[in-house]
């Protein structure tokens, strides 16, 4: 990357009031909680007032929930944008949300965070990206941008071209692809882990989370393998606490993702880990 990191911390977190995740019940969502789930999302993101900005009012946007990233349709890396055209200040620290879904999470952060930072969402479902970028344009935000991209093959090409530091990467409740023969479709494959770790600035952080323990454990295992470069944040930030199994107790971002809201309404536990880059690979 063009920017050379120093030893200073590139990422400061927003604190949520301390609240333990729900107990690890895997009960299925009741009809009542399922019905109220979209309302809960709207309430959480009410200050964005996005409903009046839907491109097609009164119609539900039909989105394919599961996409095969190994399809030939997604095999070519996405070219990076002209950063000075999409961000007002392309030298600011960057947060990248991999598999950003509807984008509300990043839009909320871009609008409400007191940090001077740019936000980039990478999403493999093009209809979601088109709608989300419509919202961004309507809101007049110049610190957040969304791209249609398969992060597994495009992350390195996109992020290595960014002129500022990568201070935070997040992978939040990715598609679990439950069947063992489909695990190769999961977004967090070794090349992506390598690229995230390499491109993070010194002091930068990685946040992973899932409501599926097996998926969270798989992501954790991949990043735990970089213990010479990455440290879990409870080792460097005494304000962040973990349970006895090493999962973060609280959401450190100040806002929940949509999947997080749905999962907690179902009574699920959210399993989180956050890592901080403590040294470069060459050291």
């Amino acid at each position: 990357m063009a920017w050379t990191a120093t030893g200073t911390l590139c990422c400061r977190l927003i604190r949520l009031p301390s609240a333990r995740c729900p107990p690890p019940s895997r009960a299925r969502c009741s009809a009542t909680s399922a019905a109220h789930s979209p309302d809960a999302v709207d309430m959480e993101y009410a200050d964005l007032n996005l409903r009046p900005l839907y491109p097609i009012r009164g119609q539900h946007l039909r989105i394919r929930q599961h996409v095969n990233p190994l399809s030939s349709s997604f095999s070519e890396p996405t070219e990076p944008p002209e950063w000075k055209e999409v961000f007002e200040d392309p030298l600011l620290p960057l947060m990248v949300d991999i598999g950003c879904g509807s984008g509300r999470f990043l839009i909320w952060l871009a609008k409400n965070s007191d940090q001077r930072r740019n936000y980039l969402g990478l999403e493999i479902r093009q209809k979601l990206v088109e709608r989300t970028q419509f919202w961004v344009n309507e809101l007049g935000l110049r610190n957040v941008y969304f791209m249609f991209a398969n992060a597994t093959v495009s992350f390195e090409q996109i992020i290595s071209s960014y002129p500022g530091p990568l201070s935070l990467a997040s992978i939040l409740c990715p598609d679990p692809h439950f069947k063992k023969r489909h695990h190769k479709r999961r977004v967090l494959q070794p090349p992506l882990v390598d690229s995230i770790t390499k491109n993070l600035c010194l002091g930068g952080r990685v946040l992973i989370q899932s409501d599926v323990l097996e998926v969270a454990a798989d992501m954790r295992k991949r990043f735990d393998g970089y213990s010479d470069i990455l440290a879990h944040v409870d080792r460097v930030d005494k304000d962040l606490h973990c349970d006895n199994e090493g999962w973060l107790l609280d959401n450190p971002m100040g806002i929940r993702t949509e999947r997080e809201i749905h999962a907690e309404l179902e009574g699920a536990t959210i399993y989180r880990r956050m890592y901080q880059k403590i040294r470069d690979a060459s050291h």
Side-chain angles (χ1 to χ4, degrees):
M1 297 178 66
W3 185 88
T4 302
T6 66
T8 58
L9 181 64
C10 299
C11 172
R12 183 169 54 86
L13 301 175
I14 306 170
R15 306 291 184 201
L16 273 181
S18 179
R20 185 67 177 108
C21 293
S25 166
R26 310 312 291 175
R28 296 184 65 83
C29 177
S30 69
T32 303
S33 64
H36 288 292
S37 191
D39 294 334
V41 171
D42 284 342
M43 288 178 62
E44 188 113 355
Y45 292 95
D47 68 312
L48 294 180
N49 197 28
L50 294 177
R51 272 198 184 278
L53 300 181
Y54 284 179
I56 305 175
R57 297 187 185 189
Q59 296 187 25
H60 177 67
L61 185 63
R62 296 181 64 85
I63 300 294
R64 187 175 179 182
Q65 292 302 308
H66 302 284
V67 175
N68 179 7
L70 302 181
S71 165
S72 59
S73 303
F74 307 115
S75 60
E76 292 297 320
T78 301
E79 292 292 325
E82 291 292 335
W83 297 109
K84 62 183 179 182
E85 294 180 6
V86 300
F87 292 132
E88 186 172 49
D89 183 355
L91 296 178
L92 289 177
L94 180 70
M95 173 183 175
V96 180
D97 189 27
I98 297 169
C100 59
S102 76
R104 288 181 178 89
F105 172 72
L106 277 193
I107 292 175
W108 188 92
L109 290 173
K111 187 172 183 288
N112 292 288
S113 176
D114 60 357
Q115 300 182 59
R116 282 181 48 77
R117 175 189 279 167
N118 289 326
Y119 299 87
L120 178 67
L122 303 179
E123 173 57 49
I124 202 169
R125 291 166 292 178
Q126 190 166 8
K127 286 185 179 179
L128 281 177
V129 175
E130 291 171 354
R131 184 183 67 179
T132 307
Q133 197 55 43
F134 176 89
W135 288 340
V136 169
N137 294 338
E138 289 295 303
L139 292 170
L141 298 174
R142 293 277 291 142
N143 63 337
V144 59
Y145 184 69
F146 293 87
M147 295 182 64
F148 169 54
N150 179 357
T152 305
V153 299
S154 298
F155 185 89
E156 175 65 28
Q157 183 162 321
I158 293 171
I159 301 306
S160 63
S161 73
Y162 184 71
L166 175 63
S167 63
L168 178 59
S170 59
I171 306 173
L172 309 177
C173 299
D175 192 328
H177 292 290
F178 287 108
K179 295 179 180 179
K180 187 173 182 179
R181 70 176 185 270
H182 291 164
H183 285 187
K184 60 187 177 182
R185 298 181 180 181
R186 290 179 176 175
V187 66
L188 195 62
Q189 299 297 328
L192 181 55
V193 181
D194 283 340
S195 184
I196 291 171
T197 306
K198 179 182 73 174
N199 283 286
L200 268 181
C201 72
L202 199 60
R205 293 181 171 182
V206 183
L207 174 64
I208 56 173
Q209 74 176 32
S210 178
D211 58 302
V212 180
L213 177 57
E214 189 270 329
V215 173
D218 181 56
M219 294 194 291
R220 175 179 179 171
K221 181 180 179 180
R222 295 184 186 277
F223 282 107
D224 281 354
Y226 288 78
S227 59
D228 56 331
I229 299 171
L230 303 174
H232 196 258
V233 289
D234 64 327
R235 286 180 47 196
V236 293
D237 188 339
K238 299 308 179 184
D239 291 331
L240 294 172
H241 304 287
C242 295
D243 64 16
N244 292 334
E245 296 180 350
W247 301 106
L248 277 177
L249 290 172
D250 302 313
N251 179 332
M253 296 305 298
I255 188 74
R256 295 181 295 172
T257 67
E258 290 181 54
R259 177 58 201 163
E260 202 172 338
I261 295 167
H262 296 318
E264 290 188 339
L265 280 174
E266 294 171 4
T269 298
I270 306 297
Y271 301 95
R272 302 182 186 89
R273 294 275 288 177
M274 179 175 265
Y275 300 86
Q276 181 167 316
K277 189 170 183 177
I278 56 174
R279 64 178 61 89
D280 290 320
S282 58
H283 292 172

